[in-house]
Amino acid sequence: SDVLLEGVPPRSSGTSLVTNPKDAFFVYSDWHSPLNHFAPSGWMGDYDDVRLDDKNTEDPADGKTCIRIDYAAHVTNGYAWAGIYWQTPDHNWGEQPGGFNLAGMKRLTFWARGAKGGEVISEFRAGGIQGENPDSGLARIGPITLTRDWRKYQISLSEASLTRIAGGFAWSASYANNPEGITFYLDEIVFSR
């Protein structure tokens, strides 16, 4: 269950390959895709230092769009780190019921690249929402140092309970690791068997 997987991005110009939803459950496929199942609504830490463009067309790994994230690292809100959770329902930090039963999914894979290379993402995670209605499990990888080329990463889910997942995906990065700020890209974030 290596974190970094081999291969090159598909770079098809059409919408992503539509696979059986029993075998693949997308967090993000393309902008406004009917395959998307979570929203990037959970902004954390120095959220005023973050800009998100989830319909970016600068060289997506696959499909027509990818996600561009700019983290300025100005410590505007006083935390010295920032991140975003993709949640269901929107803004659900565990105070609402909801989430998906993703039992049987073995991995969460996604493509990522940095604008310059050397960007350090403290953590990528699936699950982990707390509160009255917490996620049933958590799996994570990191820190990850990105390259300028698209690379496919994997979070193994074999040890996590996935019967209720409201926090489908999240990233976090710190001022300490990225004092000049970073720009990075994500694409094709998907749970699979």
Side-chain angles (χ1 to χ4, degrees):
S1 66
D2 283 329
V3 167
L4 182 61
L5 303 176
E6 296 301 313
V8 296
R11 288 203 166 85
S12 66
S13 58
T15 53
S16 304
L17 182 67
V18 179
T19 51
N20 184 333
K22 288 186 174 60
D23 296 327
F25 193 85
F26 279 88
V27 174
Y28 178 90
S29 169
D30 255 339
W31 183 64
H32 271 273
S33 169
L35 297 176
N36 297 352
H37 287 97
F38 298 87
S41 58
W43 293 50
M44 306 178 286
D46 292 321
Y47 53 84
D48 286 329
D49 290 350
V50 177
R51 298 288 173 270
L52 175 128
D53 172 9
D54 59 359
K55 55 177 184 280
N56 188 276
T57 56
E58 299 168 54
D59 182 34
D62 196 18
K64 296 185 184 311
T65 62
C66 62
I67 298 165
R68 174 181 165 146
I69 294 165
D70 296 284
Y71 167 49
H74 297 316
V75 195
T76 304
N77 306 92
Y79 291 97
W81 69 277
I84 299 176
Y85 247 113
W86 274 253
Q87 299 164 310
T88 185
D90 290 11
H91 309 287
N92 181 14
W93 290 105
E95 67 279 349
Q96 304 175 61
F100 295 104
N101 182 346
L102 300 175
M105 295 298 181
K106 302 284 193 291
R107 66 193 66 84
L108 184 145
T109 57
F110 59 95
W111 291 88
R113 70 178 177 90
K116 297 177 180 171
E119 299 83 356
V120 179
I121 309 302
S122 303
E123 186 179 81
F124 290 110
R125 60 165 51 194
I129 295 273
Q130 302 296 310
E132 290 176 31
N133 300 283
D135 284 347
S136 56
L138 166 65
R140 54 189 164 191
I141 57 172
I144 300 289
T145 302
L146 300 178
T147 69
R148 290 183 62 180
D149 298 316
W150 282 112
R151 294 210 168 155
K152 190 175 188 180
Y153 297 90
Q154 169 176 290
I155 301 174
S156 172
L157 304 173
S158 57
E159 303 295 314
S161 168
L162 303 173
T163 54
R164 182 187 181 278
I165 299 295
F169 179 76
W171 65 270
S172 62
S174 71
Y175 167 83
N177 288 332
N178 308 280
E180 305 298 311
I182 54 173
T183 295
F184 68 101
Y185 301 82
L186 300 168
D187 205 358
E188 304 304 311
I189 307 167
V190 60
F191 290 88
S192 58
R193 289 191 188 281

